[in-house]
Amino acid sequence: MERAARRELRRRGYRILECNVFWAHGEIDIFARHGSTLVVAEVRSYKQGGMPPRQTLSADKRRRLRRFGEQWHARSPYRHDPLRLDLVEVMTDDRHRVIGIEILAGI
């Protein structure tokens, strides 16, 4: 699913910087740039007809993603650029084939 998410992000003008970055409390799926903004992208998949990830991503998970993103951001060459958290929702069919991708910027 992340490969499809990266392709879609690139198609929409994002530049992928790093993927699957682990830290003590979890993982960042994708760090990217979109224009002059550094983006922390969380990739979530769900089956067609199921509950979209935007409804299941907890405030605590968003805080943790943002906190680690800020730490990475502070040490990066992009530390003076704005930081944003995006959610990439990958919809699949019953055979786990990608049938749609939606990017929610600034969640």
Side-chain angles (χ1 to χ4, degrees):
M1 297 310 133
E2 283 188 29
R3 185 178 305 161
R6 288 192 302 268
R7 265 194 314 267
E8 184 64 18
L9 287 167
R10 282 189 197 101
R11 191 182 75 73
R12 294 191 191 192
Y14 289 68
R15 186 166 56 99
I16 307 301
L17 302 174
E18 206 167 338
C19 300
N20 304 106
V21 179
F22 291 91
W23 88 102
H25 303 289
E27 173 191 13
I28 297 290
D29 295 325
I30 299 170
F31 280 106
R33 289 197 30 102
H34 191 226
S36 63
T37 301
L38 183 66
V39 175
V40 174
E42 171 74 358
V43 178
R44 297 271 179 111
S45 64
Y46 70 107
K47 287 186 181 178
Q48 182 178 23
M51 186 176 299
R54 70 187 84 171
Q55 295 177 0
T56 63
L57 187 64
S58 71
D60 183 56
K61 175 71 172 182
R62 279 191 289 252
R63 272 192 301 279
R64 284 184 283 138
L65 289 168
R66 201 168 277 117
R67 188 177 320 124
F68 180 60
E70 288 168 352
Q71 292 170 5
W72 191 91
H73 181 238
R75 291 187 297 256
S76 80
Y78 313 105
R79 64 186 161 274
H80 300 294
D81 296 338
L83 178 69
R84 184 177 79 213
L85 179 59
D86 289 3
L87 176 62
V88 182
E89 296 181 330
V90 181
M91 185 191 313
T92 62
D93 64 13
D94 289 337
R95 293 186 164 177
H96 303 287
R97 294 178 295 200
V98 175
I99 56 174
I101 298 176
E102 188 167 351
I103 299 170
L104 303 167
I107 60 163

